[in-house]
Amino acid sequence: MIDLQYIIDKINDSQFIEEPFRHLEIKDFLCEEHLNLFINDRQIHFSVPQNSSLKKTFCDNHYSAIIFPGCTVDEDDYFARLELDKWDDIKNKNDNPENPNDEIGGFGIAYRLQQYNNLRIKRILNFMNGDLFKKTLERKFSLKKETNIISAVQKYLTKYEISPHADLRRKALTYLLNINKNDECEHLDMHTHLLKFKKEHEHIYGIWKEKKYLEKVWVPWSWCETVKQIKKNNTMIIFSPDHRSLHGVKLDYDHTSFQRTQIYGNLMYKNAPNSKRLSYKSLIKNDNNQD
């Protein structure tokens, strides 16, 4: 039986970082033995000779393309556009309701592992979907409302992008753990940005804080500046979205030798009401009083 109490202890013992927004950054989250399970598992990490083989490789290893912000689930269209390097004409034209405007978004693809062949890896993911792990996170972040949890191994191919955003109001918690193939991945353009608004756009914090009936929408990269990126392997970042929790990602790398790989998870509030969604353009200063 795998003893995973150390994960609970690490969360309980970790200290909050306040900039650019409140979050936990826990290095060496998994013990070396458990990290190596993921790093060395052929279902988690694989290489392919060319893009034409990638779709079949994902299928054979029990991954599926998932509905995810900024992404398509049309694998054939994605790989056809990848082959032709044809992206500009479809930017922001997918069906994701979070991504209806120009200047934001992207057209990527995200895969989730649906069936774990390694029983030890399966136990770790079961633990991270379990009640003890969920309640530990709820206590650490003082979450009072009921939530649902999902934790899964996910891979993100090149061109995957989520413009700067502070997460939907119905999301209670987000957590990301880098389990990339090797430390060389730290030097590539494939990591999550933690951001803050540039001075001329700082008024948006106040809008999102005060007008809780408005959804926090995606905004252009040009409105923000990166404070740091979460690059290091086996580093877990956890945060409860609020009006300041700006983050984003934009990938441009060769995914045939390895893929950006994470344990991705979130807690979502049960029965959360829908919030009113406006274009990000309504947030521009001197035009922010629209309801």
Side-chain angles (χ1 to χ4, degrees), residues 244-258:
R244 300 190 65 88
S245 55
L246 276 174
H247 58 291
V249 64
K250 184 188 294 187
L251 306 190
D252 186 6
Y253 75 106
D254 178 6
H255 55 219
T256 57
S257 57
F258 58 86

Side-chain angles (χ1 to χ4, degrees), residues 20-274:
F21 54 83
R22 198 167 200 249
H23 65 281
L24 300 177
E25 182 179 344
I26 308 175
K27 298 176 181 178
D28 300 320
F29 185 76
L30 295 176
C31 69
E32 185 175 359
E33 177 187 357
H34 294 161
L35 176 64
N36 286 334
L37 287 175
F38 289 92
I39 299 301
N40 297 321
D41 189 88
R42 292 185 179 181
Q43 187 189 27
I44 305 293
H45 289 293
F46 45 79
S47 60
V48 291
Q50 53 194 359
N51 283 308
S52 59
S53 307
L54 202 50
K55 178 182 173 182
K56 183 178 186 301
T57 302
F58 273 112
C59 180
D60 290 346
N61 283 286
H62 305 294
Y63 289 83
S64 61
I66 60 171
I67 297 173
F68 207 66
C71 293
T72 179
V73 293
D74 189 335
E75 296 171 272
D76 292 333
D77 187 38
Y78 169 82
F79 285 110
R81 293 184 184 279
L82 186 65
E83 186 71 21
L84 297 171
D85 194 22
K86 189 176 181 182
W87 305 100
D88 289 343
D89 63 325
I90 47 77
K91 186 175 183 181
N92 308 309
K93 289 183 173 58
N94 58 46
D95 295 327
N96 194 307
E98 295 180 38
N99 192 17
N101 303 298
D102 55 359
E103 297 187 56
I104 62 172
F107 186 82
I109 194 163
Y111 284 94
R112 180 172 292 173
L113 184 52
Q114 305 290 354
Q115 177 183 314
Y116 298 92
N117 294 337
N118 186 312
L119 290 180
R120 298 185 73 196
I121 288 176
K122 182 178 180 179
R123 289 185 187 121
I124 293 172
L125 267 297
N126 285 344
F127 178 82
M128 294 182 70
N129 279 297
D131 197 51
L132 175 59
F133 184 73
K134 183 169 82 79
K135 286 186 175 179
T136 299
L137 293 173
E138 289 173 336
R139 284 193 299 269
K140 186 71 176 182
F141 285 84
S142 301
L143 302 179
K144 305 302 182 185
K145 299 178 183 178
E146 286 189 286
T147 66
N148 293 314
I149 190 171
I150 177 67
S151 302
V153 170
Q154 292 189 183
K155 288 178 172 284
Y156 312 85
L157 303 191
T158 193
K159 305 302 180 183
Y160 167 70
E161 177 181 352
I162 305 182
S163 291
H165 61 292
D167 275 334
L168 300 175
R169 295 192 183 275
R170 65 176 179 268
K171 184 178 283 189
L173 205 73
T174 293
Y175 45 98
L176 309 168
L177 176 66
N178 290 335
I179 51 169
N180 291 312
K181 186 175 182 179
N182 53 52
D183 291 341
E184 294 178 13
C185 300
E186 294 179 19
H187 307 293
L188 298 177
D189 188 12
M190 56 185 293
H191 302 288
T192 301
H193 296 248
L194 304 192
L195 304 134
K196 66 179 181 180
F197 279 122
K198 294 178 179 177
K199 189 172 182 60
E200 60 267 33
H201 298 292
E202 287 180 343
H203 66 279
I204 298 173
Y205 290 135
I207 295 173
W208 285 346
K209 183 177 181 180
E210 299 300 326
K211 298 186 178 183
K212 297 187 184 300
Y213 58 91
L214 291 181
E215 191 55 87
K216 298 171 290 177
V217 295
W218 296 11
V219 299
W221 287 93
S222 61
W223 290 14
C224 309
E225 58 186 49
T226 298
V227 175
K228 67 177 179 179
Q229 287 182 270
I230 308 303
K231 296 181 177 182
K232 194 165 182 59
N233 226 24
N234 198 23
T235 296
M236 171 75 97
I237 179 173
I238 316 174
F239 59 92
S240 181
D242 64 12
H243 63 287
R244 300 190 65 88
S245 55
L246 276 174
H247 58 291
V249 64
K250 184 188 294 187
L251 306 190
D252 186 6
Y253 75 106
D254 178 6
H255 55 219
T256 57
S257 57
F258 58 86
Q259 303 81 40
R260 180 187 194 238
T261 309
Q262 292 181 329
I263 295 178
Y264 166 86
N266 64 52
L267 271 62
M268 302 293 288
Y269 289 119
K270 294 182 180 179
N271 305 313
N274 291 325

